Amino acid sequence: MSAIPRRLLPSTAVLAALTLVSGCGLGAKKVESGADATERGPITYAAGKDVSGVVPKLIKRWNETHPDEKATFIELPEDANAQRQQMIQNAQLKSDTFTVLSLDAVWTAEFAANRWIDEIPRKSFPYDKTLDPINGTVRYRGKYFAMPYASDGALLYYRKDLLDKAGIDEPPETWSEMQEVCRKVLKGQSKMSCYAGQFEKYEGLTVNFSEAVHSAGGRITDDKGNPTVNTPEAKRGLDSLVEGFRDGTMSKEAITYMEEPGRRAFEKGKTLFIRQWPSMYGVSSNKGKNNEVAGKFGVAPIPGQDGPGVSSLGGHNLALSSSARNKATALDFMRYMTSKQNSRRNLNDGSLAPVYTDLYDDPEMRRKFPWLPVLKKSILHAEPRPRVVQYGDATTAIQDAAYAALTGKKSSSEALRSLQKKLRALTP
Amino acid sequence: MATLLISPTLIVLGLVIVYPVLAAVYSSMFTVPGVDPRTGFVEGGEPFVGLDNFASIFTGAGGRFWNAFWNTSFLTVTSVLLETVIGLAMALIMHQAMRGRAWVRASILVPWAIPTAISALLWRWIFDSEGIANTMLGTKVLWTTEGFQSQAAVIIAEVWKTAPFVGLLVLAGLQIISQEVYEAARVDGAGPVRRFWNITLPLVKPALLVAVLFRLLDALRMFDLPYILIGAGKESVETLSMLAQDEASNVRFGPASAYSVLLFLYVFLIAFTFIKLLGADLLGGRDEPGGKKGGRKSPRRQAGGGRSRQKEATA
């Protein structure tokens, strides 16, 4: 990292002046801002491993119509942390290797605050047609830094066959209703537990903890970004999980569950309800030797304390690397990749949850993906995970606190008190 | 002339060892820029803080460092101790002249040939809540959760993987012990236990100490096994390397460098003490004729070691 670009940053006046100088041939690289980009030419698209296989098709179609502004797909590792590290490296070297970045929904604040990505012209992207909670993940301090590409929200998967057998027609809406259903269905047997989520100490725990707190009416951070976890509502949310582990609503081994172990447990009939992402729907619908639930489960919004629960948001947004070249092309490419037409293709071919409101109401898609209407409800009630610049530290602090409370190492109020202190130290 | 001849080596060493160490020390004196509350942007430049990153381990924020420090030390000491005992036993078995010896040797060495990351994944399955470990023991231990059980899991996997390394080095040591010494002892009426303590152990000691030293240095910077087997951010098994990696991945290169430098000094200190205390065996022990001098006290041994080193130099 050279010192010169950093000195460029303090004010746009200095930036403009120095860009002029560098334009006269002093060697510094001339980089446009995303707002008034005119430069066109070849670009790259950096995203995590393309598991659904939809990206090459999209890029091929783009390259056919833009022979002079070809896009190259740079496939990063599947692990989110590894993706983030490579993108940060690219930004710190002020390299133009990556042009358009596919960012995890929780990275926006960090990338925007460090000026690793450019603010994008709000008017030229269709934010009015995408679901509002999803738009919340691309804003930083009221400015737009990315365009939603694909979304993800929580669903409550339940064993429809067992509920039907017990004469229950509707899946439960609240946490206590769910426990009531469990008492009825699971009477007199110990093989199946009531509920499971993702409680291993990793990002999934942050997701599940946030959902518990938000579903009880609490907030992790307020609108200004100040932490608000030391409240009765937050405690009520965390307590529901803590007591769930204590009274056997969740089995003891659920503390080791991530997405995959949880799915296997559900498919083996070890839990009646499980909180999962939509992607499990297709997987668990395939009949297999270790899967006894194919065709026997349904989905519902996750349960809350006094009504439907509040989901966390997953998904990816497309952003523009601030050190990239050919930003005019890049913005066009971002508009193309996130267009409604391609969002529909991604849903159809890769089961990627769309960001456009219309697609959730598309009858053909609804027939093909029965979880769509439920996911729409889930996302409409959703609350993004905390938008903190030092997200890595915030999520570690949350995991420490939640894990200590769930394993009984700390009382929930003690855990929340220390979490509040840690999150407070992370706010500017 | 001599300087000129070794200068390529010196340059390479300087590039790959001295420069990175100095660069780490330099970057450990900076900290992360804060966020400007007004604009919401991160301020430019990394502020210089001198030795603050090192001093902070003695304040409240140092809790995580000391936890990692004791974890590193505990995991190192226990696993190296077990590896030494088991490795020695493996070497003795591999050394026996018996049928299928090649097969036994190969099978003992298999764990050592498996990359740590892969073996960590294998053990992760074994220690799953429904894995083989729980099925065989008839228990319901959640091995990967916080607590002593996760440390035990790491130690077991670590010993399984690296005891063969100790075994291999000790086997090399065993093979240079002359059979005549054993025969003479047998003629004098020494039983197998006596032969082990009075002949095998003293004679194989130099090789064993080299193996232990290598293992100590390696285990002190343990990272991949606990990271994959138990998971990042678990207090019970967080080592100094994991702490430094976590800081670096959160773009705090100053503190990350500081932790790495401290780990470097710790490893250096351990290696230095080890060689100082037992150096004679490491550097000159092999020159000593016969095994009868194994019982000598260390100061004299060191002197002897020094002499034999001179001999080597003049030879």
Side-chain angles (χ1 to χ4, degrees):
Chain A
M1 290 184 296
S2 64
I4 301 158
R6 283 217 202 98
R7 255 184 275 136
L8 283 174
L9 298 176
S11 76
T12 42
V14 178
L15 179 72
L18 283 182
T19 329
L20 262 179
V21 172
S22 72
C24 299
L26 276 184
K29 211 191 283 170
K30 183 186 161 203
V31 173
E32 297 178 311
S33 83
D36 49 6
T38 53
E39 206 181 358
R40 295 191 167 273
I43 54 164
T44 62
Y45 172 57
K49 191 173 157 56
D50 178 33
V51 193
S52 49
V54 291
V55 175
K57 280 187 233 158
L58 295 184
I59 295 214
K60 189 162 166 255
R61 200 168 284 130
W62 164 270
N63 285 345
E64 275 162 9
T65 49
H66 297 79
D68 298 326
E69 303 166 60
K70 279 198 168 142
T72 316
F73 180 29
I74 300 180
E75 201 167 21
L76 303 178
E78 193 170 359
D79 174 47
N81 279 328
Q83 294 166 22
R84 176 172 157 267
Q85 263 164 33
Q86 291 200 18
M87 289 178 183
I88 292 180
Q89 259 165 24
N90 177 72
Q92 293 200 316
L93 293 170
K94 307 239 173 269
S95 150
D96 57 2
T97 312
F98 299 165
T99 316
V100 175
L101 308 173
S102 168
L103 297 184
D104 192 293
V106 290
W107 299 341
T108 312
E110 183 184 27
F111 275 69
N114 281 291
R115 281 179 264 215
W116 293 331
I117 52 177
D118 275 345
E119 187 185 343
I120 56 174
R122 178 182 172 179
K123 289 206 180 87
S124 63
F125 285 90
Y127 290 113
D128 53 329
K129 297 193 175 72
T130 49
L131 288 168
D132 205 45
I134 302 178
N135 290 340
T137 66
V138 300
R139 280 193 297 260
Y140 177 66
R141 297 222 168 193
K143 292 176 181 156
Y144 287 72
F145 281 87
M147 177 67 198
Y149 171 68
S151 189
D152 226 349
L155 299 175
L156 181 72
Y157 288 74
Y158 64 95
R159 289 289 297 274
K160 204 171 183 329
D161 56 332
L162 297 180
L163 260 63
D164 285 346
K165 215 159 79 186
I168 302 160
D169 312 321
E170 289 287 310
E173 253 186 25
T174 67
W175 186 262
S176 51
E177 273 176 41
M178 182 183 81
Q179 285 174 317
E180 188 58 41
V181 169
C182 286
R183 266 191 289 276
K184 263 192 212 160
V185 176
L186 301 178
K187 205 165 30 188
Q189 61 86 43
S190 58
K191 270 182 122 179
M192 188 181 249
S193 68
C194 176
Y195 178 75
Q198 291 81 41
F199 303 115
E200 171 66 291
K201 200 172 184 181
Y202 77 120
E203 187 59 30
L205 182 58
T206 304
V207 169
N208 279 258
F209 169 81
S210 305
E211 283 170 356
V213 169
H214 290 140
S215 297
R219 298 287 299 271
I220 308 252
T221 52
D222 65 14
D223 293 328
K224 286 187 184 136
N226 296 314
T228 52
V229 286
N230 199 6
T231 57
E233 292 85 13
K235 185 175 179 318
R236 201 177 153 206
L238 179 56
D239 276 342
S240 68
L241 296 181
V242 172
E243 274 156 31
F245 268 104
R246 211 173 289 154
D247 65 22
T249 304
M250 281 88 94
S251 72
K252 287 225 161 43
E253 62 239 45
I255 192 79
T256 66
Y257 283 176
M258 300 194 271
E259 277 87 357
E260 277 302 289
R263 175 180 66 79
R264 286 198 298 269
F266 183 69
E267 290 181 355
K268 271 190 211 157
K270 294 184 76 176
T271 177
L272 183 60
F273 295 97
I274 187 164
R275 176 239 171 264
Q276 272 282 15
W277 305 101
S279 55
M280 189 179 101
Y281 199 97
V283 183
S284 292
S285 296
N286 293 329
K287 279 204 180 79
K289 205 176 96 200
N290 286 318
N291 179 11
E292 51 180 78
V293 301
K296 293 182 190 165
F297 63 88
V299 286
I302 55 168
Q305 290 304 321
D306 310 304
V310 179
S311 164
S312 290
L313 278 177
H316 281 84
N317 305 318
L318 298 196
L320 177 55
S321 161
S322 53
S323 52
R325 308 297 301 263
N326 302 328
K327 288 185 177 175
T329 305
L331 287 170
D332 281 351
F333 179 74
M334 286 161 68
R335 277 186 280 268
Y336 161 80
M337 287 294 276
T338 58
S339 69
K340 197 162 115 187
Q341 202 186 4
N342 281 333
S343 196
R344 193 169 197 273
R345 277 197 193 110
N346 285 346
L347 170 64
N348 196 44
D349 304 342
S351 304
L352 286 185
V355 295
Y356 287 94
T357 321
D358 290 359
L359 289 177
Y360 283 94
D361 304 324
D362 184 325
E364 195 195 327
M365 290 295 126
R366 276 183 171 221
R367 248 194 321 280
K368 199 165 168 194
F369 302 101
W371 43 266
L372 263 187
V374 186
L375 182 64
K376 184 186 179 189
K377 259 190 238 167
S378 169
I379 290 179
L380 281 176
H381 282 117
E383 184 70 43
R385 277 165 278 171
R387 275 158 282 188
V388 188
V389 176
Q390 283 163 281
Y391 183 76
D393 295 313
T395 186
T396 306
I398 291 175
Q399 289 164 35
D400 280 341
Y403 197 82
L406 294 187
T407 50
K409 246 184 149 183
K410 278 186 184 171
S411 74
S412 55
S413 49
E414 205 183 325
L416 290 173
R417 227 181 0 254
S418 75
L419 175 59
Q420 172 81 9
K421 221 166 79 190
K422 280 193 203 160
L423 291 180
R424 161 72 52 205
L426 292 176
T427 13
Chain B
M1 185 60 186
T3 326
L4 198 70
L5 281 175
I6 59 165
S7 61
T9 320
L10 288 180
I11 290 172
V12 169
L13 284 180
L15 265 177
V16 301
I17 297 176
V18 181
Y19 172 71
V21 169
L22 293 182
V25 172
Y26 177 72
S27 70
S28 71
M29 295 180 191
F30 294 87
T31 187
V32 271
V35 174
D36 184 339
R38 205 169 35 82
T39 60
F41 287 122
V42 171
E43 286 151 356
E46 296 193 328
F48 180 82
V49 290
L51 295 176
D52 275 12
N53 286 329
F54 295 96
S56 72
I57 64 168
F58 297 110
T59 63
R64 203 167 159 209
F65 169 81
W66 289 111
N67 174 56
F69 179 83
W70 292 121
N71 279 343
T72 309
S73 310
F74 173 73
L75 293 176
T76 301
V77 170
T78 43
S79 56
V80 171
L81 214 68
L82 287 168
E83 280 155 23
T84 311
V85 176
I86 297 174
L88 190 62
M90 283 175 171
L92 290 174
I93 295 171
M94 286 192 279
H95 191 53
Q96 293 305 313
M98 57 179 173
R99 268 177 64 202
R101 184 165 79 159
W103 196 85
V104 171
R105 282 187 186 181
S107 67
I108 284 182
L109 287 176
V110 164
W112 176 245
I114 297 177
T116 315
I118 308 292
S119 74
L121 276 178
L122 294 176
W123 281 97
R124 201 190 163 101
W125 289 332
I126 293 175
F127 285 126
D128 189 86
S129 59
E130 285 176 53
I132 305 166
N134 274 342
T135 316
M136 278 177 51
L137 295 170
T139 50
K140 276 246 153 232
V141 180
L142 301 174
W143 293 94
T144 54
T145 55
E146 294 265 25
F148 177 69
Q149 68 276 18
S150 58
Q151 296 178 332
V154 169
I155 291 170
I156 292 170
E158 172 78 358
V159 169
W160 174 81
K161 174 160 168 50
T162 50
F165 172 75
V166 178
L168 193 66
L169 287 196
V170 174
L171 179 65
L174 285 177
Q175 282 173 340
I176 58 165
I177 302 177
S178 148
Q179 277 302 316
E180 292 157 23
V181 190
Y182 285 106
E183 276 160 24
R186 208 171 286 143
V187 170
D188 288 344
V193 177
R194 186 93 198 268
R195 285 205 299 275
F196 174 74
W197 286 108
N198 286 12
I199 295 175
T200 310
L201 210 52
L203 282 177
V204 86
K205 206 164 146 195
L208 187 63
L209 287 179
V210 171
V212 170
L213 179 66
F214 277 20
R215 281 305 312 141
L216 273 180
L217 303 190
D218 205 24
L220 281 171
R221 44 185 195 81
M222 190 191 296
F223 171 80
D224 31 11
L225 185 65
Y227 190 88
I228 298 171
L229 174 58
I230 307 297
K234 295 233 172 100
E235 282 161 39
S236 319
V237 293
E238 188 171 65
T239 62
L240 285 173
S241 302
M242 287 166 81
L243 181 58
Q245 189 269 350
D246 185 52
E247 293 288 318
S249 76
N250 282 314
V251 214
R252 279 192 303 264
F253 297 116
S257 302
Y259 293 135
S260 306
V261 169
L262 285 168
L263 175 61
F264 169 72
L265 292 177
Y266 186 42
V267 172
F268 188 78
L269 189 78
I270 298 265
F272 188 74
T273 341
F274 197 83
I275 292 177
K276 268 279 162 217
L277 287 179
L278 307 155
D281 282 312
L282 288 180
L283 298 165
R286 253 174 260 205
D287 282 354
E288 287 176 29
K292 313 249 156 36
K293 292 175 185 168
R296 275 214 237 156
K297 289 284 169 281
S298 55
R300 283 178 61 201
R301 287 188 68 86
Q302 256 176 5
R307 264 202 307 279
S308 55
R309 220 178 328 167
Q310 275 175 350
K311 243 187 283 165
E312 270 173 354
T314 48

Coordinates of all heavy atoms in Angstrom, one line a residue, chain A residues 17-50:
Chain A
A17 N -7.6 17.8 -7.7 CA -6.3 18.4 -8.1 C -5.3 17.4 -8.5 O -4.6 17.5 -9.5 CB -5.9 19.3 -6.9
L18 N -5.1 16.4 -7.6 CA -4.1 15.4 -7.9 C -4.4 14.6 -9.1 O -3.5 14.2 -9.8 CB -3.9 14.5 -6.7 CG -3.1 15.2 -5.5 CD1 -2.9 14.2 -4.4 CD2 -1.7 15.7 -6.0
T19 N -5.7 14.3 -9.4 CA -6.0 13.6 -10.6 C -5.6 14.4 -11.8 O -5.1 13.8 -12.8 CB -7.5 13.3 -10.6 OG1 -8.0 13.2 -9.3 CG2 -7.8 12.0 -11.4
L20 N -5.8 15.7 -11.7 CA -5.4 16.5 -12.8 C -3.9 16.4 -13.1 O -3.4 16.2 -14.2 CB -5.7 18.0 -12.5 CG -7.0 18.5 -13.1 CD1 -7.2 20.0 -12.6 CD2 -6.9 18.5 -14.6
V21 N -3.1 16.5 -12.0 CA -1.7 16.4 -12.1 C -1.3 15.1 -12.7 O -0.5 15.0 -13.6 CB -1.1 16.6 -10.7 CG1 0.4 16.3 -10.7 CG2 -1.3 18.0 -10.2
S22 N -1.9 14.0 -12.2 CA -1.5 12.7 -12.7 C -1.9 12.6 -14.1 O -1.3 11.9 -14.9 CB -2.2 11.6 -11.8 OG -3.6 11.6 -12.1
G23 N -3.0 13.3 -14.5 CA -3.4 13.3 -15.9 C -2.3 13.9 -16.8 O -2.2 13.5 -17.9
C24 N -1.5 14.8 -16.2 CA -0.4 15.4 -16.9 C 0.8 14.4 -17.1 O 1.8 14.8 -17.5 CB 0.0 16.7 -16.3 SG -1.3 17.9 -16.2
G25 N 0.7 13.2 -16.6 CA 1.7 12.2 -16.8 C 2.7 12.1 -15.7 O 3.8 11.7 -15.9
L26 N 2.2 12.3 -14.4 CA 3.1 12.1 -13.3 C 3.1 10.7 -12.8 O 3.7 10.3 -11.9 CB 2.8 13.1 -12.2 CG 3.4 14.5 -12.3 CD1 3.1 15.3 -11.1 CD2 4.9 14.4 -12.6
G27 N 2.3 9.8 -13.5 CA 2.5 8.4 -13.2 C 1.4 7.8 -12.3 O 1.1 6.7 -12.4
A28 N 0.7 8.6 -11.5 CA -0.3 8.1 -10.7 C -1.5 7.6 -11.5 O -1.8 8.2 -12.6 CB -0.9 9.1 -9.7
K29 N -2.1 6.5 -11.2 CA -3.2 5.9 -12.0 C -4.4 6.8 -11.9 O -4.8 7.2 -10.8 CB -3.5 4.5 -11.5 CG -3.9 3.6 -12.7 CD -4.4 2.3 -12.1 CE -3.3 1.4 -11.6 NZ -3.9 0.3 -10.9
K30 N -5.0 7.1 -13.0 CA -6.2 7.9 -13.0 C -7.4 7.0 -12.8 O -7.7 6.0 -13.6 CB -6.4 8.6 -14.3 CG -7.6 9.6 -14.4 CD -7.7 10.2 -15.8 CE -9.1 10.7 -16.0 NZ -9.4 10.8 -17.4
V31 N -8.2 7.2 -11.8 CA -9.3 6.4 -11.5 C -10.6 7.2 -11.4 O -10.6 8.2 -10.6 CB -9.1 5.6 -10.2 CG1 -10.4 4.8 -9.8 CG2 -8.0 4.6 -10.3
E32 N -11.6 6.9 -12.1 CA -12.8 7.7 -12.1 C -13.6 7.3 -10.8 O -13.4 6.2 -10.3 CB -13.7 7.4 -13.3 CG -13.0 7.8 -14.6 CD -13.9 7.4 -15.8 OE1 -14.4 6.2 -15.8 OE2 -14.2 8.2 -16.6
S33 N -14.6 8.1 -10.5 CA -15.5 7.7 -9.4 C -16.7 7.0 -10.1 O -16.9 7.2 -11.2 CB -15.9 8.9 -8.6 OG -17.0 9.6 -9.2
G34 N -17.4 6.3 -9.3 CA -18.5 5.5 -9.8 C -19.7 6.4 -10.3 O -20.5 6.1 -11.2
A35 N -19.7 7.7 -9.8 CA -20.8 8.5 -10.0 C -20.8 9.1 -11.5 O -21.9 9.2 -12.1 CB -20.9 9.7 -9.0
D36 N -19.7 9.4 -12.0 CA -19.6 10.1 -13.3 C -18.7 9.3 -14.2 O -17.8 9.9 -14.9 CB -19.2 11.5 -13.2 CG -18.0 11.7 -12.4 OD1 -17.4 10.6 -12.0 OD2 -17.5 12.8 -12.1
A37 N -18.8 8.0 -14.2 CA -17.9 7.2 -15.0 C -18.2 7.2 -16.5 O -19.4 7.3 -16.9 CB -18.0 5.7 -14.5
T38 N -17.1 7.3 -17.3 CA -17.3 7.3 -18.8 C -16.4 6.3 -19.4 O -16.7 5.9 -20.6 CB -17.0 8.7 -19.4 OG1 -15.7 9.0 -19.0 CG2 -18.0 9.7 -19.0
E39 N -15.5 5.8 -18.7 CA -14.5 4.9 -19.3 C -15.1 3.5 -19.6 O -15.8 3.0 -18.8 CB -13.3 4.7 -18.3 CG -12.0 4.3 -19.0 CD -10.9 4.1 -17.9 OE1 -11.2 4.3 -16.7 OE2 -9.8 3.8 -18.3
R40 N -14.8 3.0 -20.8 CA -15.4 1.7 -21.2 C -14.3 0.7 -21.6 O -13.2 1.2 -22.1 CB -16.4 1.9 -22.3 CG -17.6 2.7 -21.9 CD -18.7 2.7 -22.9 NE -19.9 3.2 -22.2 CZ -20.8 2.5 -21.6 NH1 -20.6 1.2 -21.4 NH2 -21.8 3.0 -21.0
G41 N -14.5 -0.5 -21.5 CA -13.5 -1.5 -21.9 C -13.8 -2.8 -21.1 O -14.8 -3.0 -20.5
P42 N -12.8 -3.8 -21.3 CA -13.0 -5.1 -20.6 C -13.0 -5.0 -19.1 O -12.4 -4.1 -18.5 CB -11.8 -5.9 -21.1 CG -10.8 -4.9 -21.6 CD -11.6 -3.7 -22.0
I43 N -13.8 -5.8 -18.5 CA -14.0 -5.8 -17.0 C -13.9 -7.2 -16.5 O -13.9 -8.2 -17.2 CB -15.3 -5.1 -16.5 CG1 -16.5 -5.8 -17.2 CG2 -15.3 -3.6 -16.8 CD1 -17.8 -5.5 -16.6
T44 N -13.9 -7.3 -15.1 CA -13.9 -8.6 -14.5 C -15.1 -8.7 -13.5 O -15.5 -7.6 -13.0 CB -12.6 -9.0 -13.8 OG1 -12.4 -8.1 -12.8 CG2 -11.4 -9.0 -14.7
Y45 N -15.5 -9.9 -13.2 CA -16.6 -10.1 -12.2 C -16.0 -11.1 -11.2 O -15.8 -12.2 -11.5 CB -17.8 -10.6 -12.9 CG -18.9 -11.0 -11.9 CD1 -19.4 -10.1 -11.0 CD2 -19.5 -12.3 -12.0 CE1 -20.4 -10.5 -10.1 CE2 -20.5 -12.7 -11.1 CZ -21.0 -11.8 -10.2 OH -22.0 -12.2 -9.3
A46 N -15.8 -10.6 -9.9 CA -15.3 -11.5 -8.9 C -16.4 -11.9 -7.9 O -17.0 -11.1 -7.3 CB -14.2 -10.7 -8.1
A47 N -16.6 -13.2 -7.9 CA -17.6 -13.8 -7.0 C -17.2 -15.1 -6.5 O -16.3 -15.7 -7.0 CB -18.9 -13.9 -7.8
G48 N -17.8 -15.5 -5.4 CA -17.5 -16.8 -4.8 C -17.9 -17.9 -5.7 O -18.5 -17.7 -6.8
K49 N -17.4 -19.2 -5.4 CA -17.7 -20.3 -6.2 C -19.1 -20.4 -6.7 O -20.0 -20.3 -5.9 CB -17.3 -21.6 -5.4 CG -17.2 -22.8 -6.3 CD -16.7 -24.0 -5.5 CE -17.1 -25.3 -6.0 NZ -16.7 -25.5 -7.4
D50 N -19.3 -20.6 -8.0 CA -20.6 -20.5 -8.5 C -21.3 -21.9 -8.5 O -21.2 -22.7 -9.4 CB -20.5 -20.1 -10.0 CG -21.9 -20.1 -10.7 OD1 -22.9 -19.8 -10.0 OD2 -21.9 -20.3 -11.9

